[in-house]
Amino acid sequence: MDGVMMEEEDDCPDLVPIETQSGRPAEQIPVTIITGYLGAGKTTLLNYILTEQHNKRIAVILNEFGEGSALEKSLAVSQAGELYEEWLELRNGCLCCSVKDNGLKAIENLMEKKGKFDYILLETTGLADPGAVASMFWVDAELGSDIYLDGIVTVIDAKYGLQQLTEEKADGLVNEAARQIAVADLTIINKTDLVKEEELNQVRDTVRSINGLVKILETQRSRVDLSEVLDLHSFDSKDGANLAEKLQLVKSARPHLDKSVLTVTFEVTGDLSEEALNAFIQDLLWEKMFCNKEGQPMTVIRLKGIVSFAGKAHQVMLQGVHELYELNETPQLWEENPRINRLVFIGRNLDKDILCEQFTSKVVLDTEKNS
Ligand SMILES: Nc1nc2c(ncn2[C@@H]2O[C@H](COP(=O)(O)OP(=O)(O)OP(=O)(O)O)[C@@H](O)[C@H]2O)c(=O)[nH]1
Ligand SMILES: [Zn+2]
């Protein structure tokens, strides 16, 4: 992939990369796609890689669900700093339908900053079909000269992975979780702290049964040896046969998200009661107390938010995956900024109006309520 010339072969004519004719050798930038089901630990991996000591200048492309760009950005980036100078994000509700355009646009924009980075990490949404994302690298010849796909890394939730693999097949739609494992060059079974040996073995066996070739790592907080994740050179065959082969594994997959899973986001100004927020989340995630207008209980798969607690100078981050959730203070201060709580819910049977109304009436302390 790096334009090596075979000069030691006597009978081989000199092969000169076209780009050298313009005086500059082609230096292709590797791209690693980081995929995995909702809440598996992709962003954690990304942040870990960005903050580890290494000699790479990494540009990150995030493809997250949700509407508020400020929210997604603040949620994904754990700390401010020069590391994130090259930040770019993709935001388009349905990745499978429109990622090609937006994904290419983002990378094209990024390539204008050429020279400022030497590696690209592309996080897909939790419901993405990585095959669709991967195919944009070989479809677009123009991009192909600038970048190459190094590998597809799939993060798997040790605790919920099995459930996701077996239960998400609603209405004959293809299981995204299985598809993500099928195309992976490397799988990372994350959150091993949450399961017993036996469960872990089961997850490992299931991953192996879906993809007999894939390398499997096991982690906590997505802490991996970078050399096992980056520079995999998974597709270094000249004709892209390897990639074609991989994509064929998932060719029959319908390139659409499970329609019953949807995203709801809203913003509410004011301080929150910590106690009331905990009660609200527990009613939602544990008790499944909220129903949509059709009377079906709301099921939250993924929950994210930035919230403001009365008397706290720092912004607090809310993270939830199925029934597990955590509230953590971020280094970010509210200062003069308006205290706007921003929330993202991904799940089934979600009703924005009901969620927002419940949240506002039960959790917000202030009188200056709006939605
Ligand atoms: N217990 C435990 N929690 C973890 C581990 N890794 C990540 N988490 C938590 O899991 C939640 C989701 O992690 P993220 O990295 O945001 O997951 P993601 O795959 O980027 O999520 P989406 O982009 O929404 O699909 C966060 O609350 C993390 O703190 C782990 O090894 N153990
Ligand atoms: Zn993420």
Side-chain angles (χ1 to χ4, degrees), residues 161-241:
L162 278 182
Q163 187 184 323
Q164 289 152 1
L165 284 167
T166 52
E167 281 183 13
E168 306 288 340
K169 298 174 189 168
D171 316 324
L173 290 170
V174 176
N175 184 317
E176 301 89 8
R179 210 184 301 166
Q180 290 168 346
I181 292 171
V183 291
D185 300 298
L186 168 70
T187 54
I188 298 174
I189 302 178
N190 186 41
K191 308 193 189 181
T192 58
D193 56 306
L194 297 179
V195 294
K196 296 201 186 80
E197 184 67 31
E198 205 177 309
E199 278 175 277
L200 184 58
N201 291 340
Q202 241 182 312
V203 177
R204 198 188 302 114
D205 289 349
T206 307
V207 170
R208 182 55 74 214
S209 72
I210 293 169
N211 187 334
L213 299 171
V214 77
K215 184 170 177 185
I216 303 175
L217 298 178
E218 288 158 23
T219 59
Q220 294 184 10
R221 301 277 158 195
S222 305
R223 300 181 70 88
V224 289
D225 186 340
L226 287 192
S227 65
E228 303 206 75
V229 176
L230 305 183
D231 294 317
L232 297 178
H233 296 281
S234 305
F235 303 103
D236 278 9
S237 67
K238 276 194 181 120
D239 53 4

Coordinates of all heavy atoms in Angstrom, one line a residue, residues 161-241:
G161 N -23.6 -8.2 25.0 CA -23.3 -8.6 23.7 C -24.2 -9.8 23.2 O -24.8 -9.8 22.1
L162 N -24.3 -10.8 24.1 CA -25.1 -12.0 23.7 C -26.5 -11.7 23.4 O -27.1 -12.1 22.5 CB -25.0 -13.1 24.8 CG -23.7 -13.9 24.8 CD1 -23.8 -15.0 25.9 CD2 -23.6 -14.6 23.4
Q163 N -27.1 -10.9 24.4 CA -28.5 -10.4 24.2 C -28.7 -9.7 22.9 O -29.6 -9.9 22.2 CB -28.7 -9.5 25.4 CG -30.2 -9.0 25.6 CD -30.3 -8.1 26.7 OE1 -29.6 -8.2 27.8 NE2 -31.1 -7.1 26.6
Q164 N -27.7 -8.8 22.6 CA -27.8 -8.0 21.4 C -27.7 -8.9 20.2 O -28.4 -8.7 19.2 CB -26.7 -7.0 21.3 CG -26.9 -5.9 22.3 CD -25.6 -5.2 22.8 OE1 -24.5 -5.6 22.4 NE2 -25.8 -4.3 23.7
L165 N -26.9 -10.0 20.2 CA -26.8 -10.9 19.1 C -28.0 -11.7 18.9 O -28.3 -12.1 17.8 CB -25.6 -11.8 19.3 CG -24.2 -11.1 19.1 CD1 -23.1 -11.9 19.6 CD2 -24.0 -10.8 17.6
T166 N -28.7 -12.0 20.0 CA -29.8 -13.0 19.8 C -31.2 -12.3 19.8 O -32.1 -12.8 19.2 CB -29.8 -14.0 21.0 OG1 -29.7 -13.3 22.2 CG2 -28.6 -14.9 20.9
E167 N -31.3 -11.1 20.4 CA -32.6 -10.5 20.5 C -33.0 -9.4 19.6 O -34.1 -9.0 19.5 CB -32.8 -10.0 22.0 CG -33.1 -11.0 23.0 CD -33.3 -10.5 24.4 OE1 -33.4 -9.2 24.5 OE2 -33.3 -11.2 25.3
E168 N -32.0 -8.9 18.8 CA -32.3 -7.8 18.0 C -32.9 -8.0 16.7 O -32.9 -7.2 15.8 CB -31.1 -6.9 17.9 CG -30.4 -6.5 19.2 CD -31.2 -5.5 20.0 OE1 -32.1 -4.8 19.4 OE2 -31.0 -5.4 21.2
K169 N -33.3 -9.3 16.4 CA -33.7 -9.6 15.1 C -35.2 -9.4 14.9 O -36.0 -10.2 14.4 CB -33.4 -11.1 14.8 CG -31.9 -11.4 14.8 CD -31.7 -12.9 14.6 CE -30.3 -13.2 14.9 NZ -30.1 -14.7 15.0
A170 N -35.7 -8.2 15.1 CA -37.1 -7.9 15.0 C -37.5 -7.8 13.5 O -36.7 -7.3 12.7 CB -37.4 -6.5 15.7
D171 N -38.6 -8.2 13.2 CA -39.3 -8.1 11.9 C -38.4 -8.6 10.8 O -38.4 -8.0 9.7 CB -39.6 -6.6 11.6 CG -40.3 -6.0 12.8 OD1 -41.1 -6.7 13.5 OD2 -40.0 -4.8 13.1
G172 N -37.6 -9.6 11.0 CA -36.8 -10.2 9.9 C -35.7 -9.3 9.5 O -35.0 -9.6 8.5
L173 N -35.4 -8.2 10.2 CA -34.3 -7.3 9.9 C -33.0 -8.0 10.3 O -33.0 -8.7 11.3 CB -34.5 -6.0 10.5 CG -35.6 -5.1 10.0 CD1 -35.9 -3.9 10.8 CD2 -35.3 -4.7 8.6
V174 N -32.0 -7.7 9.6 CA -30.7 -8.3 9.9 C -30.1 -7.7 11.2 O -30.2 -6.5 11.5 CB -29.7 -8.1 8.8 CG1 -28.3 -8.7 9.2 CG2 -30.2 -8.8 7.5
N175 N -29.6 -8.5 12.0 CA -29.0 -8.2 13.3 C -27.7 -7.4 13.1 O -26.7 -7.9 12.6 CB -28.8 -9.5 14.0 CG -28.3 -9.3 15.4 OD1 -27.4 -8.4 15.6 ND2 -28.8 -10.0 16.3
E176 N -27.8 -6.1 13.5 CA -26.6 -5.3 13.3 C -25.4 -5.8 14.1 O -24.3 -5.7 13.6 CB -26.9 -3.8 13.8 CG -28.0 -3.1 13.1 CD -29.3 -3.3 13.9 OE1 -29.3 -3.9 15.0 OE2 -30.3 -2.9 13.3
A177 N -25.6 -6.3 15.3 CA -24.5 -6.7 16.1 C -23.8 -7.9 15.4 O -22.6 -7.9 15.4 CB -25.1 -7.2 17.5
A178 N -24.5 -8.8 14.8 CA -23.9 -9.9 14.2 C -23.1 -9.5 12.9 O -22.0 -9.9 12.6 CB -24.9 -11.0 13.8
R179 N -23.8 -8.5 12.2 CA -23.1 -8.0 11.0 C -21.8 -7.3 11.3 O -20.8 -7.5 10.6 CB -24.1 -7.0 10.4 CG -24.0 -6.8 8.9 CD -24.9 -5.7 8.5 NE -26.3 -5.9 8.8 CZ -27.2 -4.9 8.8 NH1 -26.9 -3.7 8.4 NH2 -28.5 -5.2 9.1
Q180 N -21.8 -6.6 12.4 CA -20.6 -5.9 12.9 C -19.4 -6.9 13.2 O -18.3 -6.6 13.0 CB -20.9 -5.0 14.1 CG -21.8 -3.8 13.7 CD -22.3 -3.1 14.9 OE1 -22.3 -3.6 16.0 NE2 -22.8 -1.9 14.6
I181 N -19.8 -8.0 13.7 CA -18.8 -9.0 14.1 C -18.3 -9.8 12.8 O -17.1 -10.1 12.6 CB -19.3 -10.0 15.1 CG1 -19.5 -9.3 16.4 CG2 -18.4 -11.2 15.2 CD1 -20.2 -10.2 17.5
A182 N -19.3 -10.0 11.9 CA -18.9 -10.7 10.6 C -17.9 -10.0 9.8 O -17.0 -10.6 9.2 CB -20.2 -10.9 9.8
V183 N -17.9 -8.7 9.8 CA -16.9 -7.9 9.0 C -15.7 -7.5 9.7 O -14.8 -6.9 9.1 CB -17.5 -6.6 8.3 CG1 -18.5 -7.0 7.3 CG2 -18.1 -5.7 9.4
A184 N -15.6 -7.8 11.0 CA -14.5 -7.3 11.8 C -13.1 -8.0 11.5 O -13.1 -9.2 11.1 CB -14.8 -7.5 13.3
D185 N -12.1 -7.2 11.6 CA -10.7 -7.8 11.5 C -10.2 -8.1 12.9 O -9.4 -8.9 13.1 CB -9.8 -6.8 10.9 CG -10.2 -6.4 9.5 OD1 -10.2 -7.3 8.6 OD2 -10.6 -5.3 9.2
L186 N -10.8 -7.3 13.8 CA -10.4 -7.4 15.2 C -11.7 -7.2 16.1 O -12.4 -6.2 15.8 CB -9.4 -6.4 15.6 CG -9.1 -6.2 17.1 CD1 -8.4 -7.4 17.7 CD2 -8.2 -5.0 17.3
T187 N -11.9 -8.0 17.0 CA -13.1 -7.8 17.9 C -12.5 -7.6 19.3 O -11.5 -8.2 19.7 CB -14.1 -8.9 18.0 OG1 -13.4 -10.1 18.3 CG2 -14.8 -9.1 16.7
I188 N -13.1 -6.6 20.0 CA -12.6 -6.3 21.4 C -13.8 -6.6 22.3 O -14.8 -5.9 22.2 CB -12.2 -4.9 21.5 CG1 -11.0 -4.6 20.6 CG2 -11.9 -4.6 23.0 CD1 -10.5 -3.2 20.6
I189 N -13.7 -7.7 23.1 CA -14.8 -7.9 24.0 C -14.5 -7.1 25.3 O -13.6 -7.3 26.0 CB -14.9 -9.4 24.4 CG1 -15.1 -10.3 23.1 CG2 -16.0 -9.7 25.4 CD1 -15.2 -11.8 23.4
N190 N -15.3 -6.0 25.4 CA -15.1 -5.0 26.5 C -16.0 -5.2 27.7 O -17.0 -6.0 27.6 CB -15.3 -3.6 25.8 CG -14.9 -2.5 26.8 OD1 -13.9 -2.6 27.5 ND2 -15.7 -1.5 26.8
K191 N -15.7 -4.6 28.8 CA -16.5 -4.7 30.0 C -16.4 -6.0 30.6 O -17.4 -6.5 31.2 CB -17.9 -4.3 29.8 CG -18.2 -3.0 29.0 CD -19.6 -2.5 29.1 CE -19.9 -1.3 28.2 NZ -21.2 -0.9 28.3
T192 N -15.2 -6.6 30.6 CA -15.1 -8.0 31.2 C -15.2 -7.9 32.7 O -15.4 -8.9 33.3 CB -13.7 -8.6 30.8 OG1 -12.7 -7.7 31.3 CG2 -13.5 -8.8 29.3
D193 N -15.1 -6.7 33.2 CA -15.3 -6.5 34.7 C -16.8 -6.8 35.1 O -17.1 -7.1 36.3 CB -15.0 -5.1 35.1 CG -15.7 -4.0 34.4 OD1 -15.7 -4.1 33.1 OD2 -16.4 -3.2 35.0
L194 N -17.7 -6.8 34.1 CA -19.1 -7.0 34.5 C -19.6 -8.4 34.3 O -20.8 -8.7 34.6 CB -20.0 -6.1 33.5 CG -19.8 -4.6 33.7 CD1 -20.7 -3.8 32.7 CD2 -20.0 -4.1 35.1
V195 N -18.8 -9.3 33.9 CA -19.2 -10.7 33.7 C -18.3 -11.7 34.4 O -17.1 -11.5 34.7 CB -19.3 -11.1 32.2 CG1 -20.4 -10.2 31.5 CG2 -18.0 -10.9 31.5
K196 N -18.9 -12.9 34.6 CA -18.1 -14.0 35.2 C -17.5 -14.7 34.0 O -17.9 -14.6 32.9 CB -19.0 -14.9 35.9 CG -19.7 -14.3 37.2 CD -20.1 -15.4 38.1 CE -20.9 -14.8 39.3 NZ -22.3 -14.5 38.9
E197 N -16.5 -15.5 34.3 CA -15.7 -16.3 33.4 C -16.6 -17.1 32.4 O -16.4 -17.1 31.2 CB -14.8 -17.3 34.1 CG -13.9 -18.1 33.3 CD -12.8 -17.2 32.6 OE1 -12.4 -16.2 33.2 OE2 -12.4 -17.6 31.5
E198 N -17.6 -17.7 33.0 CA -18.5 -18.5 32.2 C -19.2 -17.7 31.1 O -19.3 -18.1 29.9 CB -19.6 -19.1 33.1 CG -20.2 -20.4 32.6 CD -21.2 -20.9 33.7 OE1 -20.7 -21.0 34.9 OE2 -22.3 -21.2 33.4
E199 N -19.8 -16.5 31.5 CA -20.4 -15.6 30.5 C -19.5 -15.2 29.4 O -19.8 -15.1 28.3 CB -21.0 -14.4 31.2 CG -22.3 -14.6 31.9 CD -22.7 -13.3 32.7 OE1 -22.2 -13.1 33.8 OE2 -23.4 -12.5 32.1
L200 N -18.3 -14.9 29.9 CA -17.2 -14.4 28.9 C -16.9 -15.5 27.9 O -16.8 -15.2 26.7 CB -16.0 -14.0 29.7 CG -14.8 -13.4 28.9 CD1 -15.3 -12.1 28.2 CD2 -13.7 -13.0 29.9
N201 N -16.8 -16.7 28.4 CA -16.6 -17.8 27.5 C -17.7 -17.9 26.4 O -17.4 -18.2 25.3 CB -16.5 -19.1 28.3 CG -15.2 -19.2 29.1 OD1 -14.2 -18.4 28.9 ND2 -15.2 -20.0 30.1
Q202 N -18.9 -17.7 26.9 CA -20.0 -17.8 26.0 C -20.0 -16.7 24.9 O -20.3 -17.0 23.7 CB -21.3 -17.7 26.8 CG -22.2 -18.9 26.8 CD -23.5 -18.6 27.5 OE1 -23.4 -18.1 28.7 NE2 -24.6 -18.8 27.0
V203 N -19.6 -15.5 25.3 CA -19.5 -14.4 24.4 C -18.4 -14.7 23.4 O -18.6 -14.6 22.2 CB -19.2 -13.1 25.1 CG1 -19.0 -12.0 24.1 CG2 -20.3 -12.7 26.1
R204 N -17.3 -15.2 23.9 CA -16.2 -15.5 23.0 C -16.6 -16.6 22.0 O -16.3 -16.5 20.8 CB -15.0 -16.0 23.9 CG -13.7 -15.9 23.1 CD -12.5 -16.5 23.9 NE -12.3 -15.9 25.2 CZ -12.5 -16.6 26.4 NH1 -12.9 -17.8 26.4 NH2 -12.3 -16.0 27.5
D205 N -17.2 -17.6 22.5 CA -17.6 -18.7 21.6 C -18.6 -18.2 20.5 O -18.5 -18.6 19.3 CB -18.3 -19.8 22.4 CG -17.3 -20.6 23.2 OD1 -16.1 -20.4 23.1 OD2 -17.8 -21.4 24.1
T206 N -19.5 -17.3 20.9 CA -20.5 -16.8 20.0 C -19.8 -16.0 18.9 O -20.1 -16.1 17.7 CB -21.6 -16.0 20.7 OG1 -22.1 -16.8 21.7 CG2 -22.7 -15.6 19.7
V207 N -18.9 -15.1 19.3 CA -18.1 -14.3 18.4 C -17.4 -15.2 17.4 O -17.4 -15.0 16.2 CB -17.1 -13.4 19.1 CG1 -16.2 -12.7 18.1 CG2 -17.9 -12.3 19.9
R208 N -16.7 -16.2 17.9 CA -16.0 -17.2 17.1 C -16.9 -17.9 16.1 O -16.5 -18.1 15.0 CB -15.3 -18.1 18.0 CG -14.4 -19.2 17.4 CD -13.3 -18.6 16.5 NE -12.2 -17.9 17.2 CZ -11.6 -16.9 16.7 NH1 -11.9 -16.3 15.6 NH2 -10.6 -16.3 17.4
S209 N -18.1 -18.2 16.5 CA -19.0 -18.9 15.6 C -19.5 -18.0 14.5 O -19.8 -18.5 13.4 CB -20.2 -19.5 16.4 OG -21.1 -18.4 16.8
I210 N -19.5 -16.7 14.7 CA -20.0 -15.8 13.7 C -18.8 -15.5 12.7 O -19.0 -15.4 11.5 CB -20.5 -14.5 14.3 CG1 -21.8 -14.7 15.1 CG2 -20.7 -13.4 13.2 CD1 -22.2 -13.6 15.9
N211 N -17.6 -15.3 13.3 CA -16.5 -15.0 12.5 C -15.3 -15.9 12.9 O -14.7 -15.6 13.9 CB -16.1 -13.5 12.6 CG -15.0 -13.0 11.7 OD1 -14.2 -13.8 11.3 ND2 -15.0 -11.8 11.4
G212 N -15.0 -16.9 12.1 CA -14.0 -17.9 12.5 C -12.6 -17.4 12.3 O -11.6 -18.0 12.8
L213 N -12.4 -16.2 11.7 CA -11.1 -15.7 11.4 C -10.6 -14.6 12.3 O -9.5 -14.3 12.5 CB -11.0 -15.2 10.0 CG -11.3 -16.2 8.9 CD1 -11.4 -15.4 7.5 CD2 -10.2 -17.3 8.8
V214 N -11.6 -14.0 12.9 CA -11.3 -12.7 13.6 C -10.5 -12.9 14.8 O -10.5 -13.9 15.6 CB -12.7 -12.0 14.0 CG1 -13.3 -12.6 15.2 CG2 -12.4 -10.5 14.2
K215 N -9.6 -11.9 15.1 CA -8.8 -11.9 16.3 C -9.7 -11.3 17.4 O -10.4 -10.4 17.2 CB -7.6 -11.0 16.0 CG -6.6 -11.0 17.2 CD -5.3 -10.3 16.9 CE -4.4 -10.3 18.1 NZ -3.2 -9.5 17.9
I216 N -9.5 -11.9 18.6 CA -10.4 -11.5 19.7 C -9.5 -11.0 20.9 O -8.6 -11.7 21.3 CB -11.3 -12.7 20.2 CG1 -12.1 -13.2 19.1 CG2 -12.1 -12.2 21.4 CD1 -13.0 -14.4 19.4
L217 N -9.8 -9.8 21.3 CA -9.1 -9.3 22.5 C -10.2 -9.1 23.6 O -11.3 -8.9 23.3 CB -8.4 -7.9 22.2 CG -7.3 -7.8 21.2 CD1 -6.9 -6.4 21.0 CD2 -6.2 -8.7 21.6
E218 N -9.7 -9.1 24.8 CA -10.7 -8.9 25.9 C -10.2 -7.7 26.8 O -9.0 -7.6 27.1 CB -10.8 -10.1 26.8 CG -11.6 -11.2 26.0 CD -11.3 -12.6 26.5 OE1 -10.9 -12.8 27.6 OE2 -11.6 -13.5 25.7
T219 N -11.1 -6.7 27.1 CA -10.6 -5.5 27.8 C -11.6 -5.0 28.8 O -12.7 -5.4 28.9 CB -10.5 -4.4 26.8 OG1 -11.7 -4.1 26.2 CG2 -9.4 -4.6 25.7
Q220 N -11.0 -4.1 29.7 CA -11.9 -3.3 30.6 C -11.6 -1.9 30.2 O -10.4 -1.5 29.9 CB -11.5 -3.6 32.0 CG -11.8 -5.0 32.4 CD -11.5 -5.2 33.9 OE1 -11.3 -4.3 34.7 NE2 -11.6 -6.5 34.3
R221 N -12.6 -1.1 30.1 CA -12.5 0.3 29.7 C -11.8 0.4 28.3 O -11.0 1.4 28.1 CB -11.8 1.2 30.7 CG -12.5 1.2 32.1 CD -13.7 2.2 32.1 NE -14.6 1.8 33.2 CZ -15.9 2.3 33.3 NH1 -16.3 3.2 32.4 NH2 -16.7 2.0 34.2
S222 N -12.0 -0.5 27.5 CA -11.4 -0.6 26.1 C -9.8 -0.3 26.1 O -9.3 0.2 25.2 CB -12.0 0.5 25.3 OG -13.4 0.3 25.2
R223 N -9.2 -0.7 27.2 CA -7.7 -0.5 27.3 C -7.0 -1.6 26.5 O -7.0 -2.8 27.0 CB -7.3 -0.4 28.7 CG -7.9 0.7 29.5 CD -7.4 0.7 30.9 NE -6.0 1.2 31.0 CZ -5.7 2.4 31.1 NH1 -6.6 3.4 31.1 NH2 -4.4 2.7 31.1
V224 N -6.5 -1.3 25.4 CA -5.8 -2.3 24.5 C -4.4 -1.8 24.2 O -4.0 -0.7 24.4 CB -6.6 -2.4 23.2 CG1 -7.9 -3.1 23.4 CG2 -6.7 -1.1 22.5
D225 N -3.6 -2.8 23.8 CA -2.3 -2.5 23.3 C -2.5 -1.9 21.9 O -3.1 -2.5 21.0 CB -1.5 -3.8 23.3 CG -0.1 -3.5 22.9 OD1 0.2 -2.5 22.3 OD2 0.8 -4.4 23.1
L226 N -2.1 -0.6 21.7 CA -2.4 0.1 20.5 C -1.8 -0.7 19.2 O -2.5 -0.7 18.2 CB -1.8 1.5 20.5 CG -2.5 2.5 21.3 CD1 -2.0 3.9 21.0 CD2 -4.0 2.4 21.1
S227 N -0.7 -1.4 19.4 CA -0.1 -2.1 18.3 C -1.1 -3.2 17.8 O -0.9 -3.7 16.7 CB 1.2 -2.7 18.7 OG 1.1 -3.6 19.7
E228 N -2.0 -3.6 18.7 CA -2.9 -4.7 18.3 C -4.2 -4.1 17.5 O -5.0 -4.9 17.0 CB -3.4 -5.5 19.5 CG -2.2 -6.1 20.2 CD -2.6 -7.3 21.0 OE1 -2.8 -8.3 20.4 OE2 -2.8 -7.2 22.2
V229 N -4.3 -2.8 17.6 CA -5.5 -2.2 17.0 C -5.2 -1.4 15.7 O -5.9 -1.4 14.7 CB -6.2 -1.2 18.0 CG1 -7.4 -0.5 17.4 CG2 -6.6 -2.0 19.2
L230 N -4.1 -0.6 15.8 CA -3.7 0.2 14.6 C -2.7 -0.5 13.7 O -2.1 -1.4 14.1 CB -3.1 1.5 15.1 CG -3.9 2.3 16.1 CD1 -3.2 3.6 16.5 CD2 -5.3 2.6 15.6
D231 N -2.7 0.0 12.5 CA -1.8 -0.6 11.5 C -1.9 -2.1 11.3 O -1.0 -2.9 11.4 CB -0.3 -0.3 11.8 CG -0.1 1.2 11.8 OD1 -0.5 1.8 10.8 OD2 0.6 1.8 12.6
L232 N -3.2 -2.5 11.2 CA -3.4 -4.0 11.0 C -3.2 -4.4 9.5 O -2.9 -5.6 9.3 CB -4.9 -4.3 11.3 CG -5.4 -4.1 12.8 CD1 -6.8 -4.4 12.9 CD2 -4.5 -4.9 13.7
H233 N -3.2 -3.5 8.6 CA -3.0 -3.7 7.2 C -3.9 -4.9 6.7 O -3.5 -5.8 6.0 CB -1.6 -4.0 6.9 CG -0.7 -2.8 7.2 ND1 -0.6 -1.8 6.3 CD2 0.1 -2.5 8.2 CE1 0.2 -0.9 6.8 NE2 0.6 -1.3 8.0
S234 N -5.1 -4.9 7.1 CA -6.1 -6.0 6.9 C -6.4 -6.1 5.4 O -6.9 -7.2 5.0 CB -7.4 -5.8 7.7 OG -7.1 -5.6 9.0
F235 N -6.3 -5.1 4.7 CA -6.8 -5.1 3.3 C -5.6 -4.9 2.3 O -5.9 -4.4 1.2 CB -7.9 -4.1 3.1 CG -9.0 -4.3 4.0 CD1 -9.2 -3.4 5.1 CD2 -9.9 -5.3 3.8 CE1 -10.3 -3.6 5.9 CE2 -11.0 -5.5 4.6 CZ -11.2 -4.6 5.7
D236 N -4.4 -5.2 2.7 CA -3.3 -4.9 1.9 C -3.1 -5.9 0.7 O -2.0 -6.4 0.4 CB -2.0 -4.9 2.7 CG -1.8 -3.6 3.4 OD1 -2.7 -2.8 3.3 OD2 -0.7 -3.3 3.9
S237 N -4.2 -6.2 0.0 CA -4.0 -7.0 -1.2 C -4.4 -6.1 -2.3 O -5.3 -5.3 -2.3 CB -4.9 -8.3 -1.2 OG -6.2 -7.9 -1.2
K238 N -3.6 -6.1 -3.4 CA -3.7 -5.1 -4.4 C -5.1 -4.9 -5.0 O -5.4 -3.8 -5.3 CB -2.7 -5.5 -5.5 CG -1.3 -5.0 -5.2 CD -0.4 -5.0 -6.5 CE 1.0 -4.6 -6.1 NZ 2.0 -5.6 -6.4
D239 N -5.8 -6.0 -5.2 CA -7.1 -5.9 -5.9 C -8.2 -5.7 -4.9 O -9.4 -5.7 -5.4 CB -7.3 -7.1 -6.8 CG -7.2 -8.4 -6.0 OD1 -7.0 -8.3 -4.8 OD2 -7.2 -9.4 -6.7
G240 N -8.0 -5.6 -3.7 CA -9.0 -5.4 -2.7 C -9.9 -6.7 -2.5 O -11.0 -6.6 -2.1
A241 N -9.3 -7.8 -2.9 CA -10.1 -9.1 -2.9 C -10.5 -9.4 -1.4 O -11.6 -9.8 -1.2 CB -9.3 -10.2 -3.4

